[in-house]
Amino acid sequence: MKTLQDIYEQSLTVTKEGKVATYIPALAAASSDHFSVSICAKNNKEIQLGDCHATLTLQSVVKVISFMVAANHHSMDEIMKYVDVEPTGDSFNSIVRLESDKKKPFNPMINAGAITIASLLPGESLHDKVKSVTEFLEAILQKQVHINNEVYLSEYHSADYNRAIAYILKANGFLSSDVEDALQVYLQLCSIVVTVSDLAKIALYFATDGNNEYYSEKAKSSLEVIQVAKALMLTCGMYNASGKFAAFVGMPAKSGVSGAIIAVVKNSKIEGLQGPMGIGLYGPSIDSVGNSVAGIHFLTKLSKEYDLFCL
Ligand code: GLU
């Protein structure tokens, strides 16, 4: 049987097959050969591979959290009036379907859906909406989080595509705030700073269905919302490679263009760890759809070796 270290070392060699995202100028500074993994079980038991002190921004991984905060605040029925839960197979920032017969964004994991969700977050001001998500995260991670202003501003000043999406959403009645407010909330949330261990802890939240004695009240979610979040990760979480990932890796997961991935393990045994587990991965070298190449390689091998397929 291959050890975690074997799989990790093999995955490290794959980093050269991808490229660091450059369309957000501040992300281009990441090291393309970095790869780190954290696997976290209950009671804070954790296995780390690679340099787990490196920090990164959540980017699209935050979409799962914002969705949960908005859905818990309103109700799933209300949210469904604004965003569907259907996969698209299109790229994450595609605008094309907003012009089709069905103008409602297809799901909260693509930019269109996530910008709508940003406008639906609790609170009147931009600050309160951002805080509703950071507070939820802080209750899961048990530490304060902050926004990387350089990444935020770098993306804000080059966000023409997302701005165009927001204007179409607004024109079609799927934005419940101003265009600029929704955009700023969305981009600030994408710029929240985490480590790969934090990613694992976020994944563990889903693996335990939010049941972990150390979570405070602020991390509370209805089970329905957690289940929908996991279904969204399984069907739409890995960009337009979500189908392949579900078919050949078989776990709810969400990735971001910073090279972040969270992956949810229901109940298993991986070396010294047992039970529900969260996996966090950080490999800034990404493939053409936006997924970390080393991360995908690692999870594919890990799932086969440790029988993690959940379906
Ligand atoms: N802030 C990024 C964008 O909107 C997030 C993309 C991603 O990680 O998928 O383009």
Side-chain angles (χ1 to χ4, degrees):
M1 187 180 204
K2 283 205 176 73
T3 64
L4 282 178
Q5 190 63 32
D6 294 336
I7 302 176
Y8 170 75
E9 278 166 20
Q10 221 185 53
S11 307
L12 206 50
T13 66
V14 176
T15 53
K16 53 181 170 306
E17 289 170 21
K19 284 196 185 97
V20 168
T22 51
Y23 80 98
I24 301 173
L27 291 187
S31 330
S32 60
D33 55 357
H34 177 92
F35 182 51
S36 49
V37 181
S38 161
I39 307 179
C40 190
K42 274 185 149 182
N43 307 324
N44 285 328
K45 286 196 175 148
E46 183 181 357
I47 295 175
Q48 297 189 340
L49 300 154
D51 171 15
C52 290
H53 299 293
T55 55
L56 63 144
T57 50
L58 276 174
Q59 297 304 330
S60 272
V61 172
V62 83
K63 288 170 176 165
V64 199
I65 307 291
S66 329
F67 158 75
M68 289 215 301
V69 172
N72 276 306
H73 178 72
H74 293 281
S75 77
M76 228 14 258
D77 285 347
E78 186 62 21
I79 290 291
M80 291 285 290
K81 292 181 190 159
Y82 289 87
V83 194
D84 215 326
V85 289
E86 293 300 337
T88 63
D90 302 330
S91 68
F92 64 94
N93 60 358
S94 178
I95 212 162
V96 64
R97 285 176 199 260
L98 299 178
E99 279 260 85
S100 68
D101 290 347
K102 185 183 134 182
K103 296 182 164 34
K104 183 157 76 168
F106 268 59
N107 67 70
M109 302 294 113
I110 53 170
N111 288 10
I115 294 169
T116 290
I117 290 287
S119 79
L120 290 165
L121 285 167
E124 286 305 312
S125 67
L126 191 155
H127 173 79
D128 288 348
K129 286 181 191 295
V130 171
K131 197 164 154 216
S132 71
V133 174
T134 53
E135 274 186 352
F136 192 88
L137 258 178
E138 288 174 348
I140 294 176
L141 300 177
Q142 297 182 288
K143 67 171 203 186
Q144 285 206 307
V145 295
H146 69 277
I147 286 160
N148 181 328
N149 221 35
E150 189 201 336
V151 173
Y152 163 60
L153 290 175
S154 159
E155 185 169 11
Y156 180 71
H157 292 302
S158 54
D160 298 331
Y161 224 88
N162 282 328
R163 191 170 279 108
I165 290 175
Y167 271 107
I168 297 180
L169 289 168
K170 182 76 182 171
N172 290 341
F174 292 105
L175 216 55
S176 91
S177 70
D178 283 355
V179 162
E180 275 307 307
D181 273 11
L183 193 64
Q184 287 178 29
V185 170
Y186 167 70
L187 297 178
Q188 287 190 20
L189 295 176
C190 287
S191 306
I192 293 173
V193 178
V194 289
T195 63
V196 75
S197 298
D198 295 334
L199 292 176
K201 288 186 183 125
I202 297 171
L204 181 65
Y205 179 88
F206 293 101
T208 58
D209 286 332
N211 290 315
N212 212 332
E213 51 284 352
Y214 63 73
Y215 295 145
S216 70
E217 267 303 292
K218 290 203 166 124
K220 265 217 156 343
S221 167
S222 80
L223 185 59
E224 181 196 23
V225 169
I226 294 180
Q227 283 166 344
V228 176
K230 284 193 284 189
L232 284 167
M233 283 194 263
L234 188 69
T235 53
C236 327
M238 301 301 281
Y239 300 121
N240 30 343
S242 299
K244 280 191 203 68
F245 192 85
F248 302 114
V249 183
M251 46 180 114
K254 179 76 200 91
S255 64
V257 291
S258 51
I261 305 183
I262 58 170
V264 180
V265 177
K266 188 73 199 150
N267 209 338
S268 222
K269 230 177 142 190
I270 303 177
E271 294 194 351
L273 305 183
Q274 207 167 350
M277 278 172 256
I279 308 178
L281 306 100
Y282 175 40
S285 175
I286 59 174
D287 61 20
S288 59
V289 297
N291 292 318
S292 164
V293 283
I296 295 283
H297 185 271
F298 183 90
L299 289 170
T300 308
K301 300 282 173 216
L302 186 79
S303 176
K304 292 220 160 48
E305 204 66 48
Y306 291 86
D307 199 13
L308 303 182
F309 199 92
C310 77
L311 303 168

